[in-house]
Amino acid sequence: MLTVKIPERGMLQLQHLVLDFNGTMAKDGTLLPGVEERLNTLAEKLAIHVLTADTFGTGEKACRNIKAFVHVLERGEGGSQKLKFIEKLGTQHTVTIGNGTNDSLMLKNAALGIVVLGPEGASVQALVAADVVVTDICQGLDLLLHPKRLIATLRL
């Protein structure tokens, strides 16, 4: 568990990290540098879940060395599938990271939503739904590895 007290906002008691794959932690189906190491460090405190439509057919292979559960979404509307997934985990104990319109529901409903404005950009819906915006996935993961950065961003 990762516990972070945000002054004037309350306590985050996080148990799960749910990430979108393509556009968030991978570009064109290839894992971005630094992601694997950071996720494996975070796996000591959080259960890591990677959600993917597997557009490039590389999601499971790219994540094989990460201490994470990889979940391939069913065909169709991914946003509601991602929301249902975090609801089963418990939204109040889940941090989500994504960049697309289909990530906006999970970003909005999680205890903490981080949007990545990376190489593929980010949808306006995802930006509005998130609590924090970062310019690459490693910065987002570093917020969780170094919670004082997160506190500085979210305190009132």
Side-chain angles (χ1 to χ4, degrees), residues 22-143:
N22 274 308
T24 301
M25 55 186 280
K27 179 181 175 188
D28 299 330
T30 302
L31 201 61
L32 293 167
V35 172
E36 181 178 308
E37 300 81 8
R38 284 171 173 85
L39 286 177
N40 283 335
T41 300
L42 282 168
E44 295 172 12
K45 293 186 176 188
L46 299 168
I48 311 293
H49 305 270
V50 178
L51 303 181
T52 181
D54 214 13
T55 304
F56 296 94
T58 61
E60 292 180 293
K61 184 177 179 185
C63 295
R64 71 184 174 280
N65 294 322
I66 298 173
K67 298 171 191 167
F69 303 98
V70 179
H71 309 272
V72 179
L73 301 173
E74 296 177 14
R75 289 189 180 261
E77 202 274 312
S80 61
Q81 291 180 59
K82 290 178 178 186
L83 176 60
K84 287 178 187 174
F85 186 86
I86 69 162
E87 287 175 340
K88 286 181 185 176
L89 295 176
T91 57
Q92 71 278 15
H93 299 293
T94 302
V95 52
T96 58
I97 304 179
N99 78 313
T101 300
N102 68 358
D103 299 319
S104 60
L105 289 173
M106 73 171 188
L107 290 166
K108 180 179 181 180
N109 289 282
L112 176 65
I114 301 171
V115 68
V116 176
L117 181 56
E120 288 187 12
S123 78
V124 172
Q125 292 87 348
L127 285 168
V128 170
D131 298 295
V132 178
V133 179
V134 294
T135 57
D136 72 52
I137 182 62
C138 291
Q139 290 175 350
L141 297 173
D142 286 347
L143 289 174

Side-chain angles (χ1 to χ4, degrees), residues 145-156:
L145 290 167
H146 307 281
K148 287 186 179 182
R149 297 177 189 174
L150 187 60
I151 292 167
T153 300
L154 293 176
R155 67 179 169 222
L156 296 177

